[in-house]
Amino acid sequence: MSDTSMKVGAVVLTMGNRPDELRALLESVAKQTGDPIEVVVVGNGSPLPELSVPGLAVRTVELPENVGIPAGRNVGIEAFGPAGRDVDVLLFLDDDGHLPNQDTAQLCREAFAADPELGIISFRIADPDTGVTQRRHVPRLRASDPMRSSRVTTFLGGANAARTRVFADVGGLPDEFFYAHEETDLAWRALDAGWMIDYRSDMVLHHPTTAPSRHAVYHRMVARNRVWLARRNLPAPLVPVYVGVWLLLTLARRPSLPALRAWLGGFREGWTTPCGPRRPMKWRTVWRLTRLGRPPVI
């Protein structure tokens, strides 16, 4: 398929509390070169403002309650037909970000057309005022140079593009996670199915610098979902290794006592609550992750 024939859509999830930022994002999508992009905006437990943007087709879905980030994005995927099949590529964009460059969608079309094994592209997130990319926004262990593009083993949930064939192959994001690590769960399943993931420094989403770790719920869900991630996806011998390494890393970082209590509560919850279906990856996928620089024990 040539890049010019690829249909591109976009999914934006919002809680309705950033209307000005949301409009700025949609205006940046409307300015993308190439064929127009249809956008689905999902109101996650909130009503949506009027969203008419010149030159942009916007559909809205209002959910009666906050179902979490992965479930909300899955609703956006399904708005484009089962597994998003009405389009070839979906952009997933945070509602308080915007695309500073007008060729991002076209670069996505060209990348997917040039590489049939490429399933997901992770964009570079940069602060709009300083241009700085936080280390945590580079989805690899060697994150000191955010300007270096590379193959990676995960991606950023609110700044990426995915072939919809990936969702047809492996399913969507894990609804149960609500928030945190849902991208890695999908990434591991995609890699296990033979897809590849790229981090592209030239595809940029401007997003204000934030620190999600300031919230106790962050620590609980990060810990719970880390255990769920292992239980769902790793071969049995690697589950205790992966979880044990993350326990030691967390303790080594010396979190505050409230943060540690929240983390340990989530860690316990991860072992004692249902995590969804278990589909352990093949050992050759473990080797692929290792070759890509992130063995699934860290």
Side-chain angles (χ1 to χ4, degrees):
M1 181 182 292
S2 68
D3 60 287
T4 55
S5 63
M6 280 193 169
K7 294 182 180 179
V8 178
V11 173
V12 179
L13 187 65
T14 184
M15 295 185 68
N17 55 348
R18 295 188 280 235
D20 295 338
E21 293 89 340
L22 175 58
R23 179 164 294 279
L25 169 67
L26 296 178
E27 289 172 352
S28 75
V29 174
K31 293 175 182 176
Q32 293 297 298
T33 56
D35 291 339
I37 299 169
E38 182 180 352
V39 180
V40 168
V41 178
V42 179
N44 205 359
S46 65
L48 293 170
E50 190 276 326
L51 291 174
S52 63
V53 175
L56 190 67
V58 180
R59 287 187 287 148
T60 59
V61 180
E62 293 185 357
L63 303 178
E65 62 180 354
N66 182 354
V67 297
I69 292 174
R73 287 189 175 134
N74 284 338
V75 168
I77 294 169
E78 294 299 310
F80 288 93
R85 68 183 182 192
D86 295 345
V87 293
D88 302 298
V89 173
L90 279 175
L91 310 178
F92 295 87
L93 305 169
D94 274 350
D95 66 340
D96 56 344
H98 75 276
L99 298 169
N101 303 322
Q102 296 182 11
D103 64 348
T104 301
Q106 184 59 24
L107 288 174
C108 289
R109 292 185 185 98
E110 292 171 359
F112 285 123
D115 185 353
E117 292 186 344
L118 181 60
I120 301 170
I121 300 172
S122 190
F123 300 167
R124 180 168 64 88
I125 293 179
D127 184 276
D129 297 322
T130 65
V132 171
T133 296
Q134 292 180 273
R135 189 181 183 91
R136 69 185 181 91
H137 285 152
V138 182
R140 60 179 179 241
L141 289 178
R142 295 178 179 176
S144 59
D145 182 7
M147 301 308 294
R148 179 173 67 87
S149 299
S150 68
R151 293 280 203 208
V152 289
T153 61
T154 188
F155 62 97
L156 305 175
N160 72 83
R163 276 190 211 266
T164 53
R165 279 178 52 202
V166 172
F167 306 123
D169 279 359
V170 305
L173 296 155
D175 288 355
E176 305 93 330
F177 281 41
F178 197 86
Y179 166 75
H181 302 317
E182 67 271 10
E183 303 93 350
T184 300
D185 186 89
L186 176 61
W188 283 1
R189 286 182 281 126
L191 288 162
D192 198 48
W195 295 102
M196 299 302 289
I197 305 168
D198 278 357
Y199 166 73
R200 288 281 297 264
S201 64
D202 58 334
M203 301 182 190
V204 182
L205 182 82
H206 274 174
H207 189 282
T209 299
T210 57
S213 57
R214 66 186 182 275
H215 302 299
V217 68
Y218 166 88
H219 297 285
R220 181 177 71 85
M221 290 193 176
V222 160
R224 182 197 67 182
N225 292 358
R226 185 76 73 181
V227 178
W228 279 1
L229 182 67
R231 288 175 57 197
R232 284 164 58 97
N233 295 289
L234 291 181
L238 294 185
V239 173
V241 179
Y242 179 86
V243 173
V245 166
W246 278 104
L247 174 60
L248 293 174
L249 283 173
T250 299
L251 295 175
R253 290 167 179 167
R254 298 184 179 182
S256 67
L257 189 57
L260 181 60
R261 283 175 179 158
W263 197 95
L264 291 173
F267 185 80
R268 188 181 310 111
E269 187 181 346
W271 290 110
T272 58
T273 55
C275 62
R278 173 168 165 75
R279 299 188 182 94
M281 67 177 64
K282 307 174 192 73
W283 282 103
R284 70 175 179 231
T285 305
V286 173
W287 176 236
R288 172 185 279 190
L289 289 162
T290 303
R291 291 199 333 267
L292 289 170
R294 189 145 199 168
V297 293
I298 188 169

